[in-house]
Amino acid sequence: LNKGTAHILKWSPCGDYLLTATESGSFFIWETHNWTFKEFRHSKMVDAVWIAAHNVLLASFEGRSSLQQIRFSQEAPSLNLHLMQVALPGIGSPEAAESSASASAGGGGLCWDEVNDNLVVTCRSGETGKAVTKVLGSGAIAASPDRLFEKQGAGPFRLAWNEKEQKLAVSLGASVAVYGIKCVPVVSATLQAFIEL
């Protein structure tokens, strides 16, 4: 299994697959029946989440304002995969983001409480530089999208998946975007809330 130092390790919920990603930008999808793999070269992967019900993996990469969808087209242990971009509405293009990429750097962590629909976010305060942890209840997450704006910036994005509500949280430095996700026929994201921390 030695393919370089992995900085990301993510088991699929079914246990049939393992994602490993290296600092150099390679990532590997392993099927765990025979331990064979498929290798991909990309920019450095920042984070990834599995969408169990649809056998899909969503990943964020440095310098990208979109996500990468990795969809399994057959049952395990098949490594027949399709890769496609997933646009994130409300986040500017990589070209527009070049001047402000540092603003989104250093994104914190995200974690869903699926029982109560709370989102815990950690990040660095833009004003003080100190670490901030906030719990966002469902009221904050359901913020009206009429005040949403185009956030300029490319990855790194941290990701958190809420399987129960089919929602994806994406960290954008000192703010979080929450998307409703549809997986059929392909993954698409609809911006539901934008929260400044």
Side-chain angles (χ1 to χ4, degrees):
L1 297 177
N2 187 8
K3 293 292 177 187
T5 303
H7 73 283
I8 294 177
L9 297 165
K10 301 271 183 172
W11 283 101
S12 65
C14 62
D16 291 324
Y17 295 101
L18 175 67
L19 163 72
T20 62
T22 66
E23 294 282 341
S24 65
S26 293
F27 69 92
F28 304 84
I29 305 291
W30 298 83
E31 60 81 13
T32 60
H33 295 240
N34 302 304
W35 288 104
T36 58
F37 65 90
K38 196 163 195 178
E39 179 179 1
F40 300 89
R41 298 202 184 276
H42 214 284
S43 55
K44 181 181 170 184
M45 186 180 288
V46 175
D47 205 357
V49 294
W50 288 94
I51 301 178
H54 297 280
N55 221 9
V56 167
L57 181 69
L58 294 179
S60 61
F61 293 87
E62 281 188 348
R64 299 289 178 107
S65 62
S66 61
L67 300 180
Q68 183 76 52
Q69 167 193 178
I70 304 162
R71 184 180 288 269
F72 295 78
S73 59
Q74 297 175 340
E75 296 295 317
S78 172
L79 285 170
N80 190 4
L81 309 172
H82 300 284
L83 279 69
M84 296 181 0
Q85 296 296 312
V86 178
L88 294 174
I91 298 177
S93 66
E95 296 81 21
E98 285 178 7
S99 62
S100 61
S102 62
S104 64
L110 300 168
C111 183
W112 280 106
D113 163 16
E114 293 186 24
V115 174
N116 299 304
D117 198 24
N118 293 321
L119 179 65
V120 177
V121 182
T122 64
C123 66
R124 295 241 174 246
S125 168
E127 296 173 7
T128 65
K130 292 183 179 180
V132 176
T133 300
K134 291 192 176 186
V135 178
L136 304 172
S138 58
I141 294 170
S144 172
D146 59 0
R147 61 184 278 283
L148 300 176
F149 59 94
E150 181 97 349
K151 177 79 171 179
Q152 298 301 328
F157 301 136
R158 295 286 175 205
L159 308 173
W161 175 243
N162 183 325
E163 184 75 28
K164 179 181 169 189
E165 298 292 329
Q166 299 288 288
K167 293 191 289 192
L168 179 72
V170 179
S171 71
L172 305 165
S175 55
V176 174
V178 177
Y179 295 90
I181 299 293
K182 292 187 179 177
C183 292
V184 178
V186 295
V187 174
S188 61
T190 304
L191 189 56
Q192 293 183 339
F194 192 87
I195 303 122
E196 292 286 351
L197 302 174

